[in-house]
Amino acid sequence: MTSTRTATRADDEVFDFNLNAVEAESGLTPFVFLWASKDNPNRRLTMQHMEGLNVWPLMAAADSGDAAAMAGIFRVALGDEQWEEFRKTPLPQYKLKALFAAYRKHSGADSGESGASSDS
């Protein structure tokens, strides 16, 4: 019979990895793009750099497939207010693909694999 032991450490003991000390490898420069609306032909929308996005809502969106994962990235990157504005203007799929490709390139994402792809 095998028993399982859980090791515990006191707060003042050494740790294996300090996540608090990790910093981004890039400047996390926001991505700004032009997307006209009825009221503003020069409307600019700003997305947070992909590497700076909160992963938790992205993972939740990815559970629903690639399209939901991509929408989740845009929603988090734009923020709630801009996301709602962004969705008011019809968007053809070919433009969404081009926008996502440009955003990934800006963020330094590997072009070989979609950021919205799952590991399944």
mmCIF file of all heavy atoms in Angstrom, residues 85-119:
data_model
loop_
_atom_site.group_PDB
_atom_site.id
_atom_site.type_symbol
_atom_site.label_atom_id
_atom_site.label_comp_id
_atom_site.label_asym_id
_atom_site.label_seq_id
_atom_site.Cartn_x
_atom_site.Cartn_y
_atom_site.Cartn_z
ATOM 1 N N GLU A 85 -18.911 48.737 -28.719
ATOM 2 C CA GLU A 85 -18.854 49.629 -29.882
ATOM 3 C C GLU A 85 -18.392 48.878 -31.127
ATOM 4 O O GLU A 85 -18.930 49.049 -32.212
ATOM 5 C CB GLU A 85 -17.925 50.817 -29.610
ATOM 6 C CG GLU A 85 -18.509 51.846 -28.673
ATOM 7 C CD GLU A 85 -19.824 52.422 -29.185
ATOM 8 O OE1 GLU A 85 -19.902 52.830 -30.370
ATOM 9 O OE2 GLU A 85 -20.796 52.450 -28.403
ATOM 10 N N PHE A 86 -17.377 48.052 -30.975
ATOM 11 C CA PHE A 86 -16.820 47.253 -32.069
ATOM 12 C C PHE A 86 -17.895 46.369 -32.693
ATOM 13 O O PHE A 86 -17.995 46.254 -33.913
ATOM 14 C CB PHE A 86 -15.666 46.411 -31.514
ATOM 15 C CG PHE A 86 -14.973 45.514 -32.504
ATOM 16 C CD1 PHE A 86 -14.297 46.040 -33.592
ATOM 17 C CD2 PHE A 86 -14.965 44.140 -32.315
ATOM 18 C CE1 PHE A 86 -13.627 45.208 -34.485
ATOM 19 C CE2 PHE A 86 -14.298 43.306 -33.202
ATOM 20 C CZ PHE A 86 -13.634 43.849 -34.290
ATOM 21 N N ARG A 87 -18.732 45.775 -31.867
ATOM 22 C CA ARG A 87 -19.752 44.843 -32.347
ATOM 23 C C ARG A 87 -20.948 45.525 -33.012
ATOM 24 O O ARG A 87 -21.748 44.865 -33.659
ATOM 25 C CB ARG A 87 -20.242 43.988 -31.177
ATOM 26 C CG ARG A 87 -19.142 43.074 -30.676
ATOM 27 C CD ARG A 87 -19.620 42.157 -29.605
ATOM 28 N NE ARG A 87 -20.661 41.297 -30.143
ATOM 29 C CZ ARG A 87 -21.602 40.730 -29.414
ATOM 30 N NH1 ARG A 87 -21.662 40.943 -28.122
ATOM 31 N NH2 ARG A 87 -22.494 39.945 -29.971
ATOM 32 N N LYS A 88 -21.082 46.832 -32.872
ATOM 33 C CA LYS A 88 -22.216 47.544 -33.483
ATOM 34 C C LYS A 88 -22.078 47.660 -35.003
ATOM 35 O O LYS A 88 -23.071 47.863 -35.692
ATOM 36 C CB LYS A 88 -22.359 48.943 -32.876
ATOM 37 C CG LYS A 88 -22.890 48.920 -31.467
ATOM 38 C CD LYS A 88 -22.997 50.325 -30.902
ATOM 39 C CE LYS A 88 -23.493 50.300 -29.469
ATOM 40 N NZ LYS A 88 -23.547 51.657 -28.895
ATOM 41 N N THR A 89 -20.864 47.541 -35.509
ATOM 42 C CA THR A 89 -20.628 47.647 -36.946
ATOM 43 C C THR A 89 -20.445 46.246 -37.513
ATOM 44 O O THR A 89 -19.591 45.492 -37.022
ATOM 45 C CB THR A 89 -19.353 48.478 -37.227
ATOM 46 O OG1 THR A 89 -19.495 49.760 -36.606
ATOM 47 C CG2 THR A 89 -19.126 48.658 -38.711
ATOM 48 N N PRO A 90 -21.238 45.865 -38.524
ATOM 49 C CA PRO A 90 -21.080 44.533 -39.111
ATOM 50 C C PRO A 90 -19.626 44.301 -39.559
ATOM 51 O O PRO A 90 -18.978 45.209 -40.090
ATOM 52 C CB PRO A 90 -22.024 44.554 -40.313
ATOM 53 C CG PRO A 90 -23.048 45.586 -39.960
ATOM 54 C CD PRO A 90 -22.305 46.634 -39.176
ATOM 55 N N LEU A 91 -19.140 43.093 -39.341
ATOM 56 C CA LEU A 91 -17.747 42.770 -39.621
ATOM 57 C C LEU A 91 -17.659 41.478 -40.418
ATOM 58 O O LEU A 91 -17.944 40.400 -39.892
ATOM 59 C CB LEU A 91 -16.976 42.620 -38.300
ATOM 60 C CG LEU A 91 -15.504 42.268 -38.377
ATOM 61 C CD1 LEU A 91 -14.701 43.375 -39.067
ATOM 62 C CD2 LEU A 91 -14.945 42.012 -36.984
ATOM 63 N N PRO A 92 -17.249 41.576 -41.686
ATOM 64 C CA PRO A 92 -17.079 40.349 -42.482
ATOM 65 C C PRO A 92 -15.930 39.502 -41.931
ATOM 66 O O PRO A 92 -14.953 40.030 -41.398
ATOM 67 C CB PRO A 92 -16.729 40.868 -43.883
ATOM 68 C CG PRO A 92 -17.021 42.325 -43.884
ATOM 69 C CD PRO A 92 -16.979 42.779 -42.455
ATOM 70 N N GLN A 93 -16.047 38.211 -42.105
ATOM 71 C CA GLN A 93 -15.053 37.283 -41.566
ATOM 72 C C GLN A 93 -13.654 37.553 -42.130
ATOM 73 O O GLN A 93 -12.665 37.470 -41.399
ATOM 74 C CB GLN A 93 -15.473 35.850 -41.860
ATOM 75 C CG GLN A 93 -14.565 34.841 -41.196
ATOM 76 C CD GLN A 93 -15.078 33.423 -41.329
ATOM 77 O OE1 GLN A 93 -16.182 33.184 -41.793
ATOM 78 N NE2 GLN A 93 -14.267 32.478 -40.915
ATOM 79 N N TYR A 94 -13.548 37.904 -43.421
ATOM 80 C CA TYR A 94 -12.218 38.140 -44.000
ATOM 81 C C TYR A 94 -11.527 39.328 -43.330
ATOM 82 O O TYR A 94 -10.310 39.337 -43.180
ATOM 83 C CB TYR A 94 -12.288 38.323 -45.523
ATOM 84 C CG TYR A 94 -12.906 39.617 -45.998
ATOM 85 C CD1 TYR A 94 -12.119 40.749 -46.227
ATOM 86 C CD2 TYR A 94 -14.277 39.708 -46.230
ATOM 87 C CE1 TYR A 94 -12.690 41.936 -46.667
ATOM 88 C CE2 TYR A 94 -14.849 40.890 -46.669
ATOM 89 C CZ TYR A 94 -14.052 42.002 -46.891
ATOM 90 O OH TYR A 94 -14.618 43.174 -47.319
ATOM 91 N N LYS A 95 -12.295 40.314 -42.882
ATOM 92 C CA LYS A 95 -11.691 41.440 -42.169
ATOM 93 C C LYS A 95 -11.274 41.037 -40.764
ATOM 94 O O LYS A 95 -10.238 41.469 -40.267
ATOM 95 C CB LYS A 95 -12.655 42.631 -42.122
ATOM 96 C CG LYS A 95 -12.793 43.322 -43.464
ATOM 97 C CD LYS A 95 -13.604 44.590 -43.343
ATOM 98 C CE LYS A 95 -13.769 45.218 -44.713
ATOM 99 N NZ LYS A 95 -13.078 46.486 -44.807
ATOM 100 N N LEU A 96 -12.087 40.206 -40.117
ATOM 101 C CA LEU A 96 -11.733 39.724 -38.787
ATOM 102 C C LEU A 96 -10.435 38.919 -38.840
ATOM 103 O O LEU A 96 -9.554 39.092 -37.995
ATOM 104 C CB LEU A 96 -12.861 38.864 -38.210
ATOM 105 C CG LEU A 96 -12.591 38.290 -36.819
ATOM 106 C CD1 LEU A 96 -12.507 39.403 -35.777
ATOM 107 C CD2 LEU A 96 -13.659 37.281 -36.450
ATOM 108 N N LYS A 97 -10.297 38.060 -39.840
ATOM 109 C CA LYS A 97 -9.071 37.265 -39.986
ATOM 110 C C LYS A 97 -7.856 38.172 -40.193
ATOM 111 O O LYS A 97 -6.804 37.941 -39.601
ATOM 112 C CB LYS A 97 -9.200 36.293 -41.160
ATOM 113 C CG LYS A 97 -10.103 35.121 -40.884
ATOM 114 C CD LYS A 97 -10.152 34.214 -42.102
ATOM 115 C CE LYS A 97 -11.038 33.024 -41.887
ATOM 116 N NZ LYS A 97 -11.059 32.162 -43.089
ATOM 117 N N ALA A 98 -8.009 39.196 -41.037
ATOM 118 C CA ALA A 98 -6.899 40.122 -41.292
ATOM 119 C C ALA A 98 -6.545 40.909 -40.030
ATOM 120 O O ALA A 98 -5.360 41.112 -39.727
ATOM 121 C CB ALA A 98 -7.258 41.071 -42.434
ATOM 122 N N LEU A 99 -7.559 41.330 -39.290
ATOM 123 C CA LEU A 99 -7.329 42.059 -38.049
ATOM 124 C C LEU A 99 -6.609 41.177 -37.036
ATOM 125 O O LEU A 99 -5.644 41.610 -36.393
ATOM 126 C CB LEU A 99 -8.658 42.560 -37.469
ATOM 127 C CG LEU A 99 -8.581 43.259 -36.116
ATOM 128 C CD1 LEU A 99 -7.707 44.514 -36.185
ATOM 129 C CD2 LEU A 99 -9.987 43.610 -35.635
ATOM 130 N N PHE A 100 -7.047 39.931 -36.901
ATOM 131 C CA PHE A 100 -6.424 39.025 -35.943
ATOM 132 C C PHE A 100 -4.968 38.744 -36.327
ATOM 133 O O PHE A 100 -4.086 38.721 -35.465
ATOM 134 C CB PHE A 100 -7.229 37.728 -35.841
ATOM 135 C CG PHE A 100 -6.835 36.869 -34.675
ATOM 136 C CD1 PHE A 100 -6.930 37.339 -33.373
ATOM 137 C CD2 PHE A 100 -6.386 35.574 -34.873
ATOM 138 C CE1 PHE A 100 -6.574 36.545 -32.286
ATOM 139 C CE2 PHE A 100 -6.030 34.775 -33.787
ATOM 140 C CZ PHE A 100 -6.120 35.262 -32.500
ATOM 141 N N ALA A 101 -4.712 38.576 -37.612
ATOM 142 C CA ALA A 101 -3.338 38.337 -38.079
ATOM 143 C C ALA A 101 -2.448 39.544 -37.768
ATOM 144 O O ALA A 101 -1.310 39.392 -37.307
ATOM 145 C CB ALA A 101 -3.331 38.030 -39.573
ATOM 146 N N ALA A 102 -2.953 40.746 -38.007
ATOM 147 C CA ALA A 102 -2.177 41.970 -37.734
ATOM 148 C C ALA A 102 -1.936 42.131 -36.229
ATOM 149 O O ALA A 102 -0.840 42.522 -35.803
ATOM 150 C CB ALA A 102 -2.901 43.191 -38.289
ATOM 151 N N TYR A 103 -2.940 41.807 -35.425
ATOM 152 C CA TYR A 103 -2.819 41.897 -33.969
ATOM 153 C C TYR A 103 -1.789 40.900 -33.450
ATOM 154 O O TYR A 103 -0.941 41.231 -32.619
ATOM 155 C CB TYR A 103 -4.195 41.650 -33.346
ATOM 156 C CG TYR A 103 -4.231 41.645 -31.837
ATOM 157 C CD1 TYR A 103 -3.723 42.702 -31.086
ATOM 158 C CD2 TYR A 103 -4.799 40.580 -31.150
ATOM 159 C CE1 TYR A 103 -3.779 42.700 -29.698
ATOM 160 C CE2 TYR A 103 -4.867 40.567 -29.767
ATOM 161 C CZ TYR A 103 -4.355 41.628 -29.047
ATOM 162 O OH TYR A 103 -4.414 41.618 -27.680
ATOM 163 N N ARG A 104 -1.833 39.683 -33.968
ATOM 164 C CA ARG A 104 -0.851 38.668 -33.569
ATOM 165 C C ARG A 104 0.564 39.097 -33.963
ATOM 166 O O ARG A 104 1.501 38.941 -33.189
ATOM 167 C CB ARG A 104 -1.195 37.314 -34.203
ATOM 168 C CG ARG A 104 -2.397 36.658 -33.543
ATOM 169 C CD ARG A 104 -2.768 35.325 -34.185
ATOM 170 N NE ARG A 104 -1.627 34.450 -34.428
ATOM 171 C CZ ARG A 104 -1.017 33.717 -33.499
ATOM 172 N NH1 ARG A 104 -1.421 33.763 -32.258
ATOM 173 N NH2 ARG A 104 0.001 32.934 -33.815
ATOM 174 N N LYS A 105 0.708 39.631 -35.160
ATOM 175 C CA LYS A 105 2.028 40.085 -35.617
ATOM 176 C C LYS A 105 2.535 41.202 -34.708
ATOM 177 O O LYS A 105 3.692 41.211 -34.296
ATOM 178 C CB LYS A 105 1.950 40.560 -37.069
ATOM 179 C CG LYS A 105 3.285 40.987 -37.628
ATOM 180 C CD LYS A 105 3.179 41.369 -39.085
ATOM 181 C CE LYS A 105 4.538 41.811 -39.614
ATOM 182 N NZ LYS A 105 4.455 42.213 -41.018
ATOM 183 N N HIS A 106 1.673 42.156 -34.401
ATOM 184 C CA HIS A 106 2.027 43.260 -33.502
ATOM 185 C C HIS A 106 2.491 42.727 -32.145
ATOM 186 O O HIS A 106 3.433 43.249 -31.553
ATOM 187 C CB HIS A 106 0.822 44.187 -33.310
ATOM 188 C CG HIS A 106 0.986 45.183 -32.218
ATOM 189 N ND1 HIS A 106 1.648 46.372 -32.401
ATOM 190 C CD2 HIS A 106 0.592 45.151 -30.920
ATOM 191 C CE1 HIS A 106 1.654 47.038 -31.255
ATOM 192 N NE2 HIS A 106 1.024 46.325 -30.340
ATOM 193 N N SER A 107 1.815 41.685 -31.681
ATOM 194 C CA SER A 107 2.101 41.121 -30.358
ATOM 195 C C SER A 107 3.270 40.142 -30.370
ATOM 196 O O SER A 107 3.627 39.610 -29.325
ATOM 197 C CB SER A 107 0.851 40.431 -29.809
ATOM 198 O OG SER A 107 -0.182 41.380 -29.607
ATOM 199 N N GLY A 108 3.832 39.880 -31.550
ATOM 200 C CA GLY A 108 4.970 38.972 -31.640
ATOM 201 C C GLY A 108 4.594 37.514 -31.511
ATOM 202 O O GLY A 108 5.434 36.678 -31.199
ATOM 203 N N ALA A 109 3.327 37.187 -31.766
ATOM 204 C CA ALA A 109 2.873 35.801 -31.671
ATOM 205 C C ALA A 109 3.420 35.002 -32.842
ATOM 206 O O ALA A 109 3.553 35.513 -33.960
ATOM 207 C CB ALA A 109 1.348 35.740 -31.655
ATOM 208 N N ASP A 110 3.729 33.742 -32.607
ATOM 209 C CA ASP A 110 4.228 32.841 -33.645
ATOM 210 C C ASP A 110 3.179 32.709 -34.738
ATOM 211 O O ASP A 110 2.035 32.398 -34.460
ATOM 212 C CB ASP A 110 4.542 31.475 -33.023
ATOM 213 C CG ASP A 110 5.010 30.461 -34.040
ATOM 214 O OD1 ASP A 110 5.646 30.858 -35.031
ATOM 215 O OD2 ASP A 110 4.759 29.272 -33.836
ATOM 216 N N SER A 111 3.559 32.919 -35.975
ATOM 217 C CA SER A 111 2.607 32.855 -37.066
ATOM 218 C C SER A 111 2.217 31.432 -37.422
ATOM 219 O O SER A 111 1.283 31.208 -38.172
ATOM 220 C CB SER A 111 3.168 33.550 -38.308
ATOM 221 O OG SER A 111 4.383 32.923 -38.709
ATOM 222 N N GLY A 112 2.907 30.436 -36.858
ATOM 223 C CA GLY A 112 2.636 29.053 -37.186
ATOM 224 C C GLY A 112 1.406 28.478 -36.522
ATOM 225 O O GLY A 112 0.841 27.517 -36.973
ATOM 226 N N GLU A 113 0.962 29.074 -35.430
ATOM 227 C CA GLU A 113 -0.177 28.545 -34.691
ATOM 228 C C GLU A 113 -1.080 29.675 -34.245
ATOM 229 O O GLU A 113 -0.619 30.687 -33.762
ATOM 230 C CB GLU A 113 0.302 27.764 -33.465
ATOM 231 C CG GLU A 113 -0.822 27.173 -32.663
ATOM 232 C CD GLU A 113 -0.331 26.443 -31.420
ATOM 233 O OE1 GLU A 113 0.774 25.901 -31.460
ATOM 234 O OE2 GLU A 113 -1.077 26.432 -30.422
ATOM 235 N N SER A 114 -2.356 29.507 -34.408
ATOM 236 C CA SER A 114 -3.327 30.509 -33.995
ATOM 237 C C SER A 114 -3.351 30.649 -32.488
ATOM 238 O O SER A 114 -3.338 29.661 -31.763
ATOM 239 C CB SER A 114 -4.721 30.118 -34.495
ATOM 240 O OG SER A 114 -5.702 30.930 -33.903
ATOM 241 N N GLY A 115 -3.409 31.884 -31.991
ATOM 242 C CA GLY A 115 -3.527 32.129 -30.561
ATOM 243 C C GLY A 115 -4.859 31.657 -30.024
ATOM 244 O O GLY A 115 -5.035 31.490 -28.830
ATOM 245 N N ALA A 116 -5.809 31.431 -30.928
ATOM 246 C CA ALA A 116 -7.125 30.960 -30.519
ATOM 247 C C ALA A 116 -7.216 29.436 -30.584
ATOM 248 O O ALA A 116 -8.223 28.863 -30.268
ATOM 249 C CB ALA A 116 -8.197 31.585 -31.418
ATOM 250 N N SER A 117 -6.147 28.780 -31.023
ATOM 251 C CA SER A 117 -6.177 27.329 -31.140
ATOM 252 C C SER A 117 -6.110 26.664 -29.781
ATOM 253 O O SER A 117 -5.405 27.111 -28.898
ATOM 254 C CB SER A 117 -4.991 26.830 -31.974
ATOM 255 O OG SER A 117 -5.138 27.222 -33.308
ATOM 256 N N SER A 118 -6.804 25.561 -29.681
ATOM 257 C CA SER A 118 -6.725 24.777 -28.454
ATOM 258 C C SER A 118 -5.700 23.676 -28.639
ATOM 259 O O SER A 118 -5.246 23.408 -29.737
ATOM 260 C CB SER A 118 -8.106 24.184 -28.119
ATOM 261 O OG SER A 118 -8.470 23.272 -29.132
ATOM 262 N N ASP A 119 -5.353 23.017 -27.563
ATOM 263 C CA ASP A 119 -4.384 21.931 -27.621
ATOM 264 C C ASP A 119 -5.033 20.587 -27.890
ATOM 265 O O ASP A 119 -4.393 19.566 -27.828
ATOM 266 C CB ASP A 119 -3.610 21.847 -26.299
ATOM 267 C CG ASP A 119 -2.681 23.028 -26.112
ATOM 268 O OD1 ASP A 119 -2.315 23.642 -27.125
ATOM 269 O OD2 ASP A 119 -2.317 23.326 -24.958
#
